[in-house]
Amino acid sequence: MADSEKANLLEFGRHVLRDEARALDALAEGLGEAFEHAVDLIVGCRGKLIVAGLGKSGHIGRKISATFASTGTTSVFLHLAEAIHGDLGMADSGDVAILISLSGETAELEPVIDHFSAVSIPVIGITGNSHSLLARAASAPLLLPQWREVGPESVAPTTSTTMSLALGDALAMTVMHLKGFDRSDFGRLHPGGALGARLKPISRVMHSGNEVPLTRADSAMRDVIVEMTAKRLGVVGVIDGEGYLVGVITDGDLRRHMEEGSIIRRASS
């Protein structure tokens, strides 16, 4: 590929990102009372948060629901096509719903909205059509700015799905902030993987009781080596007559100072 072609490709990619970034700026500037009302509905929800969508909006809805669930708000995803074939049974009074549809006129929306109305479930609508069925039915209509989809022919859902996802993040993070959901709460819901390892409390990984290798300050070096070998932690705590820690001996100390007289590093008082 020629250098000029590479430069054109890079510039096109940058155009995509910059155009979507401008759309997000416009979305942020347009937030108002409907956003505040949506947050109030979610914070006050006595049941679960239902997030529903179809197609690309469905994929975005799954991620938004997962973000809420991982940050302290009980949430489930409802596929609109499955909803009208029995899955509406998961919705009940006390729930709150977020419905996502750029057109706001998706055929599956009407029976879902009717059911939510019948069981008194308030609807938060994410749509780009202020005159749509969804916008009219929503207690909190969150309108996306009128912005062309980025990319060739502007046909693939790109900018609209980016804005919908970002709006879901804004809702979830605002609710998380208001609920006082902190690192310890987050750690409880993320016990696995690298993230869970970083957030795991010290009490879950520390050694205590008989697991801790200890020796008295007047012990023989042979006893220190036996204790360190038995407990396999690479360190031995040195305690005084009252059981207080006065120093430590590491395996490195043993290697470096085996033939020297003093190998205990005194603990700070």
Side-chain angles (χ1 to χ4, degrees):
M1 184 181 296
D3 290 344
S4 59
E5 292 177 315
K6 290 181 180 179
N8 289 336
L9 287 177
L10 287 173
E11 190 54 39
F12 187 84
R14 289 169 180 149
H15 166 72
V16 170
L17 295 176
R18 288 166 180 158
D19 196 59
E20 292 199 347
R22 286 191 290 269
L24 291 178
D25 282 338
L27 175 63
E29 291 300 319
L31 290 186
E33 292 182 1
F35 181 85
E36 294 175 333
H37 185 43
V39 170
D40 288 340
L41 287 173
I42 299 170
V43 172
C45 178
R46 295 179 291 106
K48 59 187 175 294
L49 177 65
I50 300 171
V51 185
L54 190 67
K56 300 299 186 294
S57 294
H59 296 309
I60 296 302
R62 285 186 187 276
K63 194 277 177 184
I64 292 174
S65 178
T67 299
F68 271 106
S70 69
T71 54
T73 298
T74 302
S75 179
V76 296
F77 173 73
L78 176 65
H79 192 284
L80 283 179
E82 299 296 337
I84 61 176
H85 291 282
D87 281 3
L88 277 175
M90 72 170 62
D92 201 358
S93 178
D95 295 341
V96 172
I98 297 177
L99 301 185
I100 308 170
S101 172
L102 181 61
S103 71
E105 296 287 350
T106 305
E108 290 82 359
L109 278 172
E110 187 171 5
V112 172
I113 289 173
D114 287 346
H115 176 72
F116 287 168
S117 177
V119 294
S120 301
I121 294 176
V123 171
I124 299 165
I126 297 179
T127 182
N129 184 357
S130 61
H131 303 292
S132 64
L133 167 68
L134 177 55
R136 294 194 305 271
S139 299
L142 303 178
L143 300 177
L144 303 179
Q146 295 297 313
W147 206 277
R148 285 171 57 87
E149 305 285 11
V150 72
E153 305 300 328
S154 300
V155 292
T158 50
T159 308
S160 61
T161 50
T162 297
M163 289 191 291
S164 297
L165 180 60
L167 187 51
D169 285 343
L171 286 170
M173 294 303 100
T174 305
V175 170
M176 176 182 172
H177 170 69
L178 290 176
K179 287 185 173 182
F181 193 87
D182 59 20
R183 287 177 59 89
S184 61
D185 298 315
F186 199 75
R188 284 189 299 101
L189 300 181
H190 295 77
L195 181 58
R198 291 206 312 271
L199 297 175
K200 186 177 294 185
I202 292 175
S203 60
R204 298 289 298 277
V205 296
M206 74 179 189
H207 297 274
S208 61
N210 291 331
E211 296 177 345
V212 179
L214 297 173
T215 188
R216 298 177 69 87
D218 57 358
S219 297
M221 184 54 58
R222 179 180 61 187
D223 297 331
V224 174
I225 296 173
V226 170
E227 180 73 355
M228 184 179 292
T229 303
K231 301 298 176 62
R232 300 184 175 214
L233 293 183
V235 65
V236 173
V238 182
I239 58 176
D240 61 17
E242 297 181 356
Y244 290 102
L245 183 70
V246 295
V248 294
I249 301 174
T250 68
D251 54 0
D253 292 328
L254 290 177
R255 289 194 302 271
R256 288 188 297 270
H257 303 296
M258 184 63 75
E259 296 182 358
E260 298 181 11
S262 175
I263 66 169
I264 298 178
R265 297 204 309 271
R266 294 289 173 184
S268 60
S269 58

